[in-house]
Amino acid sequence: MGGAIRTKTVSPIATTGEVFADETQIDLIGNFQDGSPGLALWDGAKEFVGSSIERHGLAYIPTPLRTDLLRALKLPTRGIPHGSTRTFFWDICKLVKTFSSLDDGSVSLVSRIVLLSALVDAVPVSPTLIITGPDVVRGKQLIALLSCLCRHSLCLTGVTRAGLCSLPSGMQFTFLVSQSSMGNSLKALFDTASNRDLKIPSRGNLIDLFGVQIIHTDALLAASNSWSSRAIYISMVPTGRDLPVLDLDSQRRITHEYQAKLLSFRRANLGAAHRLKFDVSKFAFPLQYLAHCLAGATPDDPQLQAEVITLLKDEDEDIRNSRFVDVNCVAIEAVLVAAHESAGSAIYVSELALLNQEILKARGEMLDTDPGMFGKRLKELGFTVKRDKRGSKLTLTNATIDHARQLAQDFGVMNGENNRPEKRK
């Protein structure tokens, strides 16, 4: 007995955005119909907008979002030409300067964070912009401006760990958090969320909270080292100058124009940001991720990328100066000094600990070095320590010396930069 052939119905895929291998993109847009979100497909030449999008036999629909979240979330309604990266960057700089009166270096850093928010999925670790200082009014106005400019911006306060984990997964929010206190658990969650490839277990699900983080807080919280390796600090010091007021009409106008241009910027530059090769060896190791992020904000403009060296110069020098007495760096130096004097032989950990102590003493640090703890530190640094009847020792083979020199380069150890450790007197 014959019958109709039934075809399998494929359910639509709920999405907040897709990037395909051919660099075709689907993005979430706002106010499509009666305030509901829609989707925009960009095929490299044309934009197709709808409440659903079909591609290669699959249907995509916007991920359902709560009404309160939709009202708070800044979304483009379409894409419009942004001009060149350099022109768009300077337009953003002009806005930031006008409404914040920051110095040129800070303006440049803040503007790169705006551009990076559109390309954040191209970097492995997202940066944190920390806005602090006594001029709270200017700080609030800068946050309001950034909420108009950044991709998927969401202004929050009173944030808790549970509250953050209740947000939709995979949205690549730009979090703009204004609060004076933040517990260690919440700071640790933000640290985890800054890693693109790490998912957070919550109530039986794995959630993705990766995105740019902007924190407006007081000096005490900003002094915390939780964001030290990926943070940009902007201090809002009173200037005595009157600023133009960023009223609601101005915010709506800026949001409408710049969200549309930022979408165009993302479409034009996301592939280049993924392919970017930027030499970060010029920077101290803790700054290298941040340097790559800032360079990745302008992936098609080598000149703007080169300016990152100047922008991070002071932070780089501070880190290198702190390395002068850093426990890991001094341990590496001790191995290099010993290798310079006795390459090919073995040296006991207790002798290396004394050498470590001498280096610290010469630099004004009157600290005793415990041989047992020092031996553990050598192992953590990847050195092979073996034990005989007299104690633990390190053999200064060519492989050991090469490893020490590589560590010196990675950690920014002064004596490791030219691979010629100082000889003890």
Side-chain angles (χ1 to χ4, degrees):
M1 183 174 176
I5 299 175
R6 295 184 179 181
T7 58
K8 184 178 180 181
T9 301
V10 179
S11 299
I13 300 170
T15 184
T16 58
E18 303 286 336
V19 180
F20 301 99
D22 62 358
E23 299 188 10
T24 298
Q25 298 177 33
I26 295 176
D27 286 283
L28 197 63
I29 58 170
N31 294 323
F32 177 67
Q33 289 177 344
D34 301 324
S36 299
L39 295 177
L41 171 69
W42 177 254
D43 67 0
K46 293 182 180 179
E47 180 181 69
F48 303 89
V49 174
S51 57
S52 65
I53 293 290
E54 289 190 10
R55 185 180 185 276
H56 295 337
L58 296 176
Y60 296 87
I61 59 173
T63 293
L65 299 173
R66 298 192 310 266
T67 301
D68 58 340
L69 180 59
L70 272 176
R71 288 176 178 171
L73 186 63
K74 300 292 197 303
L75 292 171
T77 57
R78 56 176 180 152
I80 62 174
H82 66 284
S84 70
T85 292
R86 181 175 296 269
T87 299
F88 190 41
F89 173 70
W90 285 117
D91 286 346
I92 294 171
C93 286
K94 188 183 299 183
L95 276 175
V96 173
K97 183 76 171 180
T98 298
F99 288 105
S100 71
S101 193
L102 288 169
D103 63 88
D104 290 344
S106 297
V107 167
S108 182
L109 287 167
V110 170
S111 301
R112 290 166 200 268
I113 291 295
V114 172
L115 293 182
L116 183 66
S117 72
L119 308 175
V120 68
D121 36 339
V123 299
V125 178
S126 67
T128 296
L129 180 68
I130 299 179
I131 302 169
T132 186
D135 197 335
V136 177
V137 173
R138 281 173 64 225
K140 288 182 177 179
Q141 179 149 293
L142 180 56
I143 286 289
L145 176 63
L146 292 176
S147 74
C148 301
L149 296 174
C150 292
R151 178 174 181 257
H152 291 183
S153 62
L154 186 63
C155 291
L156 302 169
T157 192
V159 179
T160 64
R161 182 182 177 92
L164 196 63
C165 287
S166 71
L167 293 173
S169 177
M171 277 290 300
Q172 294 176 0
F173 290 111
T174 298
F175 296 106
L176 296 109
V177 179
S178 298
Q179 61 191 68
S180 59
S181 63
M182 191 175 290
N184 290 333
S185 177
L186 181 57
K187 286 188 284 187
L189 181 61
F190 272 117
D191 266 341
T192 302
S194 71
N195 291 269
R196 181 185 61 198
D197 300 322
L198 294 184
K199 305 297 181 283
I200 299 163
S202 177
R203 297 184 177 181
N205 297 312
L206 290 178
I207 59 175
D208 176 4
L209 295 176
F210 178 67
V212 170
Q213 302 164 10
I214 300 175
I215 313 292
H216 182 210
T217 187
D218 58 29
L220 184 62
L221 180 56
S224 168
N225 63 2
S226 297
W227 299 285
S228 58
S229 64
R230 58 185 180 87
I232 298 170
Y233 293 86
I234 302 296
S235 181
M236 308 302 289
V237 179
T239 64
R241 294 189 293 271
D242 291 333
L243 294 177
V245 176
L246 186 63
D247 56 30
L248 290 178
D249 285 341
S250 297
Q251 290 182 44
R252 293 189 189 100
R253 177 184 57 79
I254 292 171
T255 299
H256 182 73
E257 176 182 352
Y258 280 83
Q259 287 295 324
K261 288 183 175 180
L262 196 68
L263 178 55
S264 170
F265 173 80
R266 172 176 168 81
R267 291 167 173 172
N269 288 279
L270 184 59
H274 275 290
R275 296 186 294 270
L276 179 68
K277 303 295 183 183
F278 181 70
D279 183 9
V280 296
S281 64
K282 309 176 185 70
F283 301 91
F285 183 72
L287 273 183
Q288 290 180 1
Y289 270 133
L290 180 57
H292 180 79
C293 284
L294 294 177
T298 56
D300 64 341
D301 194 317
Q303 186 175 340
L304 287 176
Q305 293 165 28
E307 292 175 6
V308 173
I309 298 172
T310 302
L311 290 171
L312 296 181
K313 180 180 179 182
D314 290 344
E315 288 82 358
D316 191 68
E317 289 181 355
D318 288 345
I319 290 173
R320 292 184 188 278
N321 289 336
S322 70
R323 289 299 192 240
F324 201 55
V325 292
D326 178 84
V327 289
N328 288 318
C329 293
V330 176
I332 295 165
E333 281 191 75
V335 174
L336 287 170
V337 172
H340 189 52
E341 296 181 351
S342 308
S345 62
I347 184 170
Y348 283 92
V349 169
S350 58
E351 296 176 281
L352 273 175
L354 286 174
L355 175 54
N356 185 86
Q357 189 169 301
E358 288 177 22
I359 295 173
L360 286 171
K361 183 177 180 181
R363 295 173 182 175
E365 297 290 319
M366 310 304 290
L367 300 174
D368 292 335
T369 301
D370 177 78
M373 294 301 295
F374 188 75
K376 290 181 180 179
R377 185 167 302 281
L378 290 176
K379 291 179 181 178
E380 289 173 355
L381 289 169
F383 292 105
T384 301
V385 177
K386 296 183 178 180
R387 190 171 184 84
D388 64 14
K389 294 180 180 180
R390 290 181 53 193
S392 299
K393 64 181 179 180
L394 177 68
T395 303
L396 301 171
T397 63
N398 289 336
T400 299
I401 297 170
D402 287 344
H403 179 61
R405 287 174 174 167
Q406 183 60 53
L407 286 173
Q409 180 178 333
D410 293 341
F411 277 82
V413 175
M414 189 180 303
N415 289 328
E417 291 177 353
N418 57 11
N419 291 339
R420 290 183 59 83
E422 294 175 353
K423 185 177 180 66
R424 278 187 292 169
K425 297 180 179 179

